[in-house]
Amino acid sequence: MERSLPAATPSASAAPADAVGGSRIGFENVSVTYGSLTVLQSLTLTVNPGEIVALIGPSGSGKTTALRAVAGFVRPSSGRIMIGDRDVTNLAPYDRKIGMVVQNYALFPHMRVEENVAFGLRAHGASEAVVRARVPECLAMVGMGAYAKRYPRELSGGQQQRIAIARALANKPQVLLLDEPLSALDAQIRRSMLDELAKLHRDLPALTVLYVTHDQTEALTLANHIGIMRDGRLKAFGGAQSLFRNPPNRFAAEFLGRANLLPVNDLQPAGEGRVSVRFGATVLKARNHHRLAKGSDCLLCVRPHDFKLGSSRPDANRLSGVVRSVQWQGDVHNVVVEVAGECIRLSSAPMREPPEPGASLDVHFDPADVTVVPEDGADG
Ligand SMILES: Nc1ncnc2c1ncn2[C@@H]1O[C@H](COP(=O)(O)OP(=O)(O)OP(=O)(O)O)[C@@H](O)[C@H]1O
Ligand SMILES: [Mg+2]
């Protein structure tokens, strides 16, 4: 059975963590198995103190398992979990100095908001004076000061989730684990909660956060670093912007943001840190961030918004094709163009006179905006 969440909040009496790196989360070759099924494979990953790392990946890729291993609800079959310089692999959840929030709020329905927030404090023996001071403080942090007397059923989903966050912060954890905290909320509330989470982290800059999500926008908005999981393995890890700009493989390119991955070949040096590649009969230039070898067959990653319409600078890459579809989505036009047998997708600012399907279209893109990416290996 799932243990109730407040058990994961830290002990007020726990020994203070080390001054240096006290809240760093470290996975060291962590594997988790259920029977004969390995659901986490030798995960090695560091979340530095004060940093937000987002773990993203498809359903079943092991994100929650990784998070639960840090919380202490899942015991690794091998490897170590470190918090700061402490090996917590065999510590009870209680002793880990961690706050945790999950998707579906998990508030105690029979307790008022203030009792929910106080629960973890009381469980760890905090005095009434401490509870009286800390509960309003935590509610204020999430903008819910006026709701102390309500029951969870009297709150909206977004409000309940704010209370869950307040409860997770009550014991002043150094590490906050968030498992899809916004996924039960509708799109508009999700966006405002995202802003609030970003603000919360600005207010608590020392808090180290591991954030599990399906949603790449959440990851890109909040995280300093992003890990992309697939089938229990970490397929990519890097700074949010760098991973978006220079995905190390097809899976990372497609999972984090939309990408056109053009099959290209005959990679050759082209001076000024650029390489040239052949796409059908056209030679294109790109960055070679991953230092792929001369002669390689690979993929050219072009984000939809990197394609521009119309006249181009002389040094831009140019492609000509036939428009297959045009879709207006309010603030963008999405256009599919067939070029050399491949369908490429481009996003442009809304056009007054968008091209018609069947029309010829010239597009260009800057070599500085694109990189070549290796095709995934066998375990891709
Ligand atoms: N208690 C369990 N017993 C057996 N298998 C489990 C258990 N918990 C999780 N699994 C399996 O481990 C794998 C990883 O699950 P996990 O919950 O970590 O995925 P996830 O990436 O969080 O997915 P989602 O995005 O759907 O939440 C899945 O195949 C799941 O079925
Ligand atoms: Mg999950």
Side-chain angles (χ1 to χ4, degrees), residues 4 38 95 229 242:
S4 63
T38 301
D95 297 325
M229 307 273 306
S242 142

Side-chain angles (χ1 to χ4, degrees), residues 34 37 39 57-66 179-180 212 214:
Y34 290 112
L37 190 67
V39 299
S59 190
S61 56
K63 307 180 295 294
T64 294
T65 303
D179 192 358
E180 312 240 10
V212 161
H214 275 98

Side-chain angles (χ1 to χ4, degrees), residues 275-297:
V275 291
S276 70
V277 286
R278 285 188 175 279
F279 173 58
T282 312
V283 173
L284 301 171
K285 288 187 179 170
R287 293 179 292 108
N288 184 12
H289 183 85
H290 304 293
R291 298 180 190 280
L292 305 190
K294 195 173 159 179
S296 290
D297 292 357

Side-chain angles (χ1 to χ4, degrees), residues 177-208:
L177 307 177
L178 299 165
D179 192 358
E180 312 240 10
L182 309 184
S183 62
L185 307 175
D186 70 40
Q188 205 179 345
I189 297 176
R190 207 180 306 158
R191 266 195 301 276
S192 71
M193 288 286 290
L194 251 188
D195 292 343
E196 286 178 35
L197 281 175
K199 177 177 177 305
L200 187 73
H201 195 247
R202 284 197 298 277
D203 293 345
L204 300 170
L207 193 65
T208 304

